Amino acid sequence: TILAFGKLRGKTFEEAVRCDLRYCRWFLESAQKDPDASAECSENFAAFLAYLGPALGRIGSASSYCPPANAAEGIDLASGSWPVEFGKHKGLSFKELYERDGRY
């Protein structure tokens, strides 16, 4: 099932858990704190909540990792060509970032 809302919109439920475990835990905890608000949510929202409980239970404290979209295009991590997708250097490749600000 594809998420239809939030910062992970467009990802499958499984990808969302794998890519941003912290967000998924926050999402579930927030919904559990305010069940009345969650009761009035969309069908997709409710389905994601139902998915998260068992999914997070299986994962436990494992770390999350989500490769950039172009990882599927065969770009090697060691090449430094993957784009930085966060922070003040967003849009640069990791190689460019290192060359400009190696201490960052």
Side-chain angles (χ1 to χ4, degrees):
T1 305
I2 305 294
L3 275 172
F5 60 89
K7 75 177 201 174
L8 299 175
R9 176 180 295 149
K11 294 198 178 294
T12 65
F13 289 1
E14 182 180 347
E15 289 170 330
V17 171
R18 195 181 44 196
C19 293
D20 199 338
L21 197 53
R22 182 181 296 161
Y23 171 79
C24 291
R25 285 188 176 130
W26 167 85
F27 182 86
L28 183 60
E29 289 169 9
S30 297
Q32 290 171 339
K33 286 179 186 175
D34 191 0
D36 292 334
S38 299
E40 299 174 15
C41 62
S42 73
E43 191 174 313
N44 189 255
F45 185 101
F48 188 50
L49 279 178
Y51 176 84
L52 281 179
L56 293 178
R58 286 191 303 271
I59 292 171
S61 62
S63 63
S64 59
Y65 168 70
C66 187
N70 54 352
E73 298 171 10
I75 297 175
D76 180 31
L77 173 63
S79 73
S81 298
W82 283 9
V84 175
E85 297 182 350
F86 55 87
K88 67 181 184 179
H89 297 292
K90 184 175 182 175
L92 295 177
S93 69
F94 279 93
K95 181 179 180 180
E96 292 169 325
L97 170 56
Y98 181 75
E99 290 169 352
R100 290 183 186 184
D101 189 358
R103 295 177 56 130
Y104 181 75

